[in-house]
Structures are given as structure tokens and as C-alpha cells.
Amino acid sequence: MSENNTPNPSGLSLKVKYTFLFSSWVFLSAFSFYLGMSLMGTEAAKPNAKLTKEAPLVSPNGLVPQKENILPKLEEKTADLESSPGQNLPTESPQENQGSITANPESLEVLENLPVEGKGKFKASAWSTDWSAMQKTVHLYNEIHPFIYTMKGGLSNTGELISSWSSTARKERVEELRRLNPNVKVIPTIFRWENPKEKIQENIGMGGRNDIRDKHIQIILNEILTYNYDGIDIDYEGMTCDKKEKFEEFFALLAKEVHNKGKLISVAVHPKTPSDKKKEMQCKGLAKPIQMDFRENWRGPTTHDYEFLAKHADRVKIMAYELHPRKYHNPGPGPQAPNVWLKDIITYAKKRVPTHKLFMAIPTYGYDWALNCKASAKAVYHSDAQRIRAGVHKKHQPTDINDIIAKENKVASWRNLSKFSDIHKNRAYEDPTLWYTSGGCDRVAFFMNRRAFEEKMNLLRQYDLGGFSFWQLVTDNDPEINDYLSLLVQGKVPAVKKITDDELKKEAFEKQKAADALSQSKALEGKPLEAKLNNIPPEGKSKEE
């Protein structure tokens, strides 16, 4: 029997039925598409809507990341940066982080003044625990390092991380920063400073625990990919010399994995200055002796090999601060990162790190020192400087300590400074100082302002470095520095004359010649050589034992 002779109970032909079914399908598809687009448009129109909590993220090892707040641990690193009451770094709990994220109006108004990107551009970056400061000033930076991660475990490691931002906050805040500055790179920091209660051990493969090292690397990668970071910043400080080779193995492996994902890796390193006396340092547990071609002989710098790390890192960020740590009686009052010291650090680093990868980390703070009484030094930020300036004081900028000592009639009682006067000989610091009296005690406060910051930036630009980093970005930084930064990141500051390699060699030769002459002069006088600063570990973004 043919198809045309088949009975049709409905009275409709097959052609008509198929046409009706096809038309219905097209209509329903179009209607579904319309509903989906409408819903998407509704959500897009509400960028500031309150975001809901999420279920905990499960890491590759099947463990739920810890919810405990690590800000107290991170703040141990910044304990020496605490200033007057009411100015401590902010602390948050994961629960507080779950709230709505609202754009900062001031930041939204300056979107046309975003940083200029591109090869050869001098880049601005900053570490920060201050979310409010990040929101307000992210438009001034090419890179932001939220200081939010540390290692789980103290004397032993498990490979796991702890974050001071909850899972929800990590996602929301990264999105918020990029919305405020689409050009910014968000590269969070993982920090650990070795001390009697916290070690960097199995996470870098010590004790033969490559399994924990590999787990640590996978967890780092999971964090980068889950929260869409642009990379990761490794800040493993104060390690004993026996960890040098294992740290290098760990870093090379991590860098390879990070680069395979198309992400960046940054490393924070201790400052080093060149030594005219080269020697080998034997360290138990190492296959090769450490080449000591730098003057700093304490444990931290020995594990950070600039040349090796630069081969694998996209950024090498030298923590150039704490030349005069507040918790040490020697060498007493002084600036944290004067240009005369930065030049030495740059001279050493430029021979080992490509300049486009080399960043100098600059402090946003100073210290307030007692000159003739027993009192602890205090951190000084913008509001502290303003408070001191509101009273009776003398301001010096540049600061020539020897000249001040020669002219002040109270100097005989300044025992906390006068005994270190030789350290400051023939040096005039671009850093400003305030000299005043409080509670019957004479004091001097070194601090950071725009003029000092601008001179430091000019120096870094003269040496053609990749950029600078702030330790750290806080709400109480001098607002005039932000004015300068706005011009700097847009390439609107006056050009500087670059220092050539020949000029660098000539400068190094003249410096060595002067040092030899000083050494001979001291020997003839039968006096001890100038006190060395280089065996003193930094504090600032570090917590000493």
C-alpha cells in the first residue's frame, strides 16, 4: 500500500502536521532565547547588587580551605608598622567579607586616568592588607598584591594555605578591583617569615617531602585559577641558608606551572649590596657553597639568589627598607630607604636581574625615635607627621644629621643619636625629618612625603628599572603621593636622564676608591672602622626572631 493511500484519522496531511511541529519548535526556541537574554540584561544592570554566600570551595586534595582569619598572623609581620592608637592595620573576619561590595565613587570618576601598560613602562605596584585603600587607589597602580595568604602549620607544613579573605570575598574583590581599573593585574602574596614558631620546611621539599611540595604547588595553582588571579607573589623570608637549594627547586617548578597557565609569578627578596671582598660560605646540607659577593651576612639574603630567581620570575621585588630598624639599638635613628642605600642595592641587582623585571620596594612609613630617653620608636604615617607638625617642631629636608648635630645646643644629651654620627657622615638624606620635644624627651621623626618619594622615583627611573612596589598601601599614606602617582602611571612626569653602564662602572670605581681611602685613614688614626649596618635583619614587612 502506498503512502498516499494511508488512512489519516485526523483529517490532516503529514506535510501540514510536520509544518506545524517545526513552527512550534522555532517559536519555543525564540521565546526561550528572549527570556534568557532578558534575565542576563537584568543582572548586568545591577553591578552593585548584594552578592550571596557560596558553598566552600574544595581544593584538589579534597580539603575545604580553612575559614580562620590569618590577619593576626599577617599583622605580626606588620607589628613594627603600628602607629598611634586608631591607626593599626584593619582586621576582618571571613564573615565580614561576605557582605556587599560597592564601588568607590572616587575611583570610578578617574577611570580615564588609568595606568599606561606596555613594555618599557615604569610600573607602579603595592602590597596591601587595607581593602579600603585598594578600592580608593587601585586606579593608580599597574599591579596590586593583596597580602592575604600564609602557610597552614607552624613548625611543619602541610602544603595548604590560609587566606584572610573568604572564598566569596576573593572572587568579589578581584572582580571589584578589575571593574575599578580594567588594566590592573591582581597578584596576591603568600607570606611566611621564619621564626621559632613558624618554619618554611616541607612546603619547599625539605626533609625529602617532595610530595608536600608538589601538593603546595597544586594548591597555589588552584587558587590562581579558581579566583582568576593574574599570578602569584612568593614572599618566603628569613630562611636559613640550608634552604637555598630547595627553595630554588620549588620556585622553578612553581614558575613553570604558573607560566603554563599563562599567569605571572613575582618574588620578594631581601636587599643586598655589593661587597669588594668575595668569599664562599659553607652551609650544611647544600651541595655547593654560597657565593658571598654581598655584604649582608644574616640568614635571609643567603637564600635569595637574584640571578637564579630572575631566570624564572617575571618580577623580582627587592624589599628595600628597614635600613634603620626600630627594634635594634644599633644603628639608631635614620631613614628607612635613602637614595644613597638604594643606589648600592641597584648596583648589585642590575648585574643579576634584567632591568624590566627589577622592582624596588619602597616604604610608605618612617619611625619616630627618642634621642635622650628610654622609649620605643614608633611608626610614622601621614597623620602622625601632621600631628607632630601641629606643635612646636623643626623640619629638615633634605636631612643632614651631622650638620644638625653641629648646630643644636642639646646634642650633648642625644645619646641615642650622637654615638652613631659616623654612620651619617657625608650623607644628606632626601627624607624629611621633624625634630621636637614630647613628655620631656627630645625626638626625631623620619617620614615619607611627596618630595622624598618623587626623588626616589626619579632615581629608579634613571636606572631604567621595571618599577616600584609600596610596603605598604594604607589609607593613611600621604595624599600628595597619590597626586604624583596619578601623573607617574600615565607617563606625564618629566623625563629623566638614564644612567649608562659606563657611568655605573665609573660610579662604582669612585666609590671603591673613596672606601679604600677611608679605610686607610681610619687605620692610620688607630680607630675602628665605621659601624656596619649589614648584619642587621630588616623588620618592616618582616618579623624577626
Side-chain angles (χ1 to χ4, degrees):
M1 188 177 288
S2 69
E3 184 178 290
N4 291 334
N5 293 326
T6 303
N8 185 359
S10 65
L12 296 174
S13 69
L14 289 174
K15 184 175 181 181
V16 172
K17 290 171 67 177
Y18 289 147
T19 301
F20 175 78
L21 289 173
F22 178 76
S23 301
S24 300
W25 176 80
V26 170
F27 172 78
L28 289 173
S29 298
F31 184 70
S32 299
F33 178 78
Y34 170 78
L35 285 177
M37 293 300 293
S38 299
L39 289 172
M40 289 174 63
T42 302
E43 290 302 311
K46 298 189 295 183
N48 290 332
K50 189 168 184 177
L51 302 176
T52 59
K53 295 184 179 181
E54 300 178 335
L57 173 74
V58 178
S59 60
N61 58 7
L63 298 174
V64 177
Q66 295 298 304
K67 287 285 189 179
E68 76 179 87
N69 184 8
I70 61 163
L71 252 298
K73 291 191 177 185
L74 294 183
E75 286 185 342
E76 290 178 16
K77 180 180 173 91
T78 58
D80 296 330
L81 302 187
E82 293 177 359
S83 54
S84 57
Q87 173 147 348
N88 295 338
L89 296 175
T91 59
E92 304 172 347
S93 66
Q95 288 72 27
E96 290 170 332
N97 289 336
Q98 304 282 0
S100 61
I101 305 297
T102 306
N104 180 274
E106 295 176 15
S107 298
L108 291 175
E109 292 172 0
V110 294
L111 287 177
E112 71 275 11
N113 296 326
L114 294 176
V116 176
E117 263 295 355
K119 189 175 180 180
K121 298 294 183 183
F122 186 81
K123 295 180 175 62
S125 63
W127 288 287
S128 184
T129 62
D130 188 335
W131 171 238
S132 177
M134 286 186 246
Q135 283 182 300
K136 291 177 181 177
T137 62
V138 65
H139 62 284
L140 302 177
Y141 293 94
N142 303 95
E143 299 174 4
I144 289 287
H145 297 300
F147 204 80
I148 60 174
Y149 287 105
T150 191
M151 299 177 185
K152 184 178 181 181
L155 297 180
S156 61
N157 311 140
T158 64
E160 298 167 70
L161 298 174
I162 302 171
S163 174
S164 59
W165 288 1
S166 69
S167 175
T168 302
R170 273 171 270 174
K171 286 188 175 182
E172 293 174 359
R173 291 183 174 187
V174 170
E175 292 172 0
E176 177 79 356
L177 291 174
R178 290 206 180 102
R179 191 159 61 81
L180 295 173
N181 178 0
N183 296 332
V184 75
K185 295 189 183 304
V186 183
I187 307 174
T189 296
I190 305 172
F191 163 72
R192 168 56 63 89
W193 169 270
E194 284 215 327
N195 61 70
K197 295 181 180 180
E198 294 177 319
K199 300 296 182 185
I200 301 168
Q201 299 284 116
E202 295 83 0
N203 280 355
I204 59 172
M206 295 297 289
R209 296 306 303 266
N210 289 347
D211 57 329
I212 293 181
R213 177 201 66 193
D214 295 344
K215 175 182 172 182
H216 188 49
I217 290 172
Q218 288 304 313
I219 288 175
I220 293 172
L221 291 174
N222 183 63
E223 291 294 305
I224 295 172
L225 297 177
T226 299
Y227 301 107
N228 195 24
Y229 300 144
D230 294 291
I232 200 71
D233 176 54
I234 299 299
D235 183 11
Y236 296 178
E237 300 183 36
M239 291 180 284
T240 50
C241 64
D242 61 311
K243 297 182 174 67
K244 178 180 182 295
E245 293 172 354
K246 282 298 183 181
F247 175 68
E248 291 173 353
E249 288 177 13
F250 157 77
F251 191 82
L253 289 169
L254 175 63
K256 181 180 179 181
E257 294 296 329
V258 170
H259 289 148
N260 284 343
K261 302 299 182 184
K263 303 291 185 175
L264 300 170
I265 186 166
S266 170
V267 61
V269 297
H270 294 289
K272 299 183 184 182
T273 54
S275 173
D276 57 324
K277 297 179 180 179
K278 296 180 175 61
K279 63 180 181 180
E280 290 186 343
M281 173 183 173
Q282 299 292 336
C283 183
K284 186 178 180 180
L286 297 186
K288 297 179 181 179
I290 297 172
Q291 302 301 313
M292 295 285 289
D293 53 359
F294 48 91
R295 291 183 288 185
E296 292 68 24
N297 59 8
W298 63 283
R299 57 188 168 88
T302 60
T303 57
H304 286 162
D305 186 315
Y306 287 9
E307 189 170 0
F308 179 91
L309 295 173
K311 291 177 182 177
H312 302 277
D314 301 291
R315 312 277 191 268
V316 177
K317 301 198 169 183
I318 301 178
M319 298 177 285
Y321 38 76
E322 292 293 313
L323 180 61
H324 292 259
R326 74 168 187 166
K327 283 193 174 179
Y328 294 92
H329 299 296
N330 182 344
Q336 297 312 302
N339 278 3
V340 64
W341 186 50
L342 293 179
K343 285 182 181 180
D344 282 350
I345 297 172
I346 294 170
T347 298
Y348 181 86
K350 271 184 70 95
K351 295 178 181 179
R352 295 157 180 85
V353 182
T355 51
H356 71 278
K357 293 185 176 185
L358 184 57
F359 284 59
M360 207 61 48
I362 304 298
T364 60
Y365 64 94
Y367 287 135
D368 183 346
W369 309 83
L371 298 174
N372 53 8
C373 63
K374 289 185 178 181
S376 299
K378 301 177 290 186
V380 178
Y381 286 92
H382 177 64
S383 63
D384 301 296
Q386 294 296 96
R387 172 179 49 79
I388 296 169
R389 293 184 70 173
V392 178
H393 69 279
K394 293 180 181 178
K395 181 185 175 183
H396 292 273
Q397 189 177 17
T399 299
D400 186 331
I401 290 179
N402 279 270
D403 183 61
I404 294 170
I405 288 176
K407 293 178 180 178
E408 284 289 340
N409 55 12
K410 294 182 178 181
V411 71
S413 69
W414 289 355
R415 58 184 180 274
N416 296 339
L417 177 62
S418 56
K419 61 183 177 182
F420 301 116
S421 60
D422 281 352
I423 292 173
H424 307 287
K425 190 173 183 179
N426 300 321
R427 292 181 177 181
Y429 306 118
E430 70 280 2
D431 303 75
T433 50
L434 298 171
W435 304 74
Y436 70 107
T437 300
S438 177
C441 182
D442 293 337
R443 306 187 65 95
V444 57
F446 283 82
F447 64 105
M448 178 71 76
N449 64 1
R450 172 174 174 165
R451 179 177 165 188
F453 177 71
E454 191 167 345
E455 289 192 36
K456 295 179 197 299
M457 293 303 101
N458 286 341
L459 176 70
L460 304 191
R461 292 166 60 222
Q462 283 178 327
Y463 283 97
D464 204 25
L465 302 192
F468 83 96
S469 285
F470 257 155
W471 176 255
Q472 67 169 317
L473 169 61
V474 295
T475 305
D476 199 15
N477 292 340
D478 188 339
E480 290 189 13
I481 291 178
N482 291 339
D483 296 338
Y484 173 78
L485 267 180
S486 181
L487 300 174
L488 178 68
V489 298
Q490 296 175 74
K492 294 182 179 180
V493 294
V496 295
K497 183 179 180 297
K498 305 294 183 182
I499 297 175
T500 65
D501 290 340
D502 288 340
E503 289 172 323
L504 276 174
K505 292 176 182 177
K506 182 179 178 181
E507 185 177 304
F509 174 78
E510 293 296 335
K511 187 167 185 176
Q512 186 60 53
K513 186 178 177 181
D516 292 342
L518 176 63
S519 180
Q520 291 176 2
S521 173
K522 291 287 186 181
L524 289 173
E525 294 174 7
K527 295 181 179 180
L529 294 178
E530 180 177 355
K532 299 292 185 181
L533 306 182
N534 305 302
N535 62 343
I536 300 174
E539 294 179 10
K541 198 164 70 73
S542 298
K543 183 187 68 174
E544 76 286 24
E545 291 188 12

